Amino acid sequence: MEEVKGVVKHVLLARFKEDVTPDRIDQLIKGYANLVSLIQPMKSFHWGTDVSMENMHQGFTHVFESTFESVEGIAEYVAHPAHVEFANEFLPTLEKVIVIDYKPTVLCA
């Protein structure tokens, strides 16, 4: 096994509160995606909703995945004023949230 050099994935699982409208969720997702253009160590952003047939989502409906150049890059992102401002708007709309940062590992044969 080999760690992908430097790269760190930041995964956020979310369940929005029932009173958050679909339009508001769309606005928040656009705001989240816009952080890529504002925060240099954030290299990419992907998101989606649960499409699993296994019904093991535990109420989480959305997944957000960002790629960073390093663990230090995530620290820079977390402290960045644009992220702080966004988090102050985003987090209060969530009923449940889990955040995991991990270094992707490739299984070498």
Side-chain angles (χ1 to χ4, degrees):
M1 290 188 286
E2 184 180 327
E3 285 185 351
V4 178
K5 188 164 177 60
V7 170
V8 181
K9 298 284 188 172
H10 177 78
V11 178
L12 186 149
L13 301 175
R15 176 180 178 165
F16 288 92
K17 292 179 180 174
E18 285 186 22
D19 63 350
V20 181
T21 66
D23 283 348
R24 181 69 179 129
I25 292 171
D26 287 346
Q27 287 176 336
L28 291 165
I29 292 169
K30 287 175 184 162
Y32 202 154
N34 189 52
L35 294 177
V36 175
S37 65
L38 301 174
I39 304 174
Q40 190 275 329
M42 187 178 185
K43 298 304 180 192
S44 68
F45 172 80
H46 300 93
W47 75 277
T49 56
D50 180 57
V51 295
S52 174
M53 293 178 204
E54 295 179 290
N55 200 28
M56 296 177 70
H57 53 73
Q58 298 183 33
F60 291 94
T61 56
H62 290 71
V63 61
F64 303 95
E65 181 190 69
S66 307
T67 302
F68 291 84
E69 58 193 14
S70 65
V71 173
E72 295 79 13
I74 290 182
E76 187 178 329
Y77 161 80
V78 168
H80 194 285
H83 172 262
V84 171
E85 181 180 341
F86 175 74
N88 287 337
E89 186 179 342
F90 182 70
L91 293 176
T93 68
L94 302 181
E95 184 174 311
K96 292 171 72 171
V97 63
I98 294 175
V99 176
I100 296 176
D101 297 331
Y102 72 97
K103 293 183 79 55
T105 302
V106 178
L107 184 60
C108 299

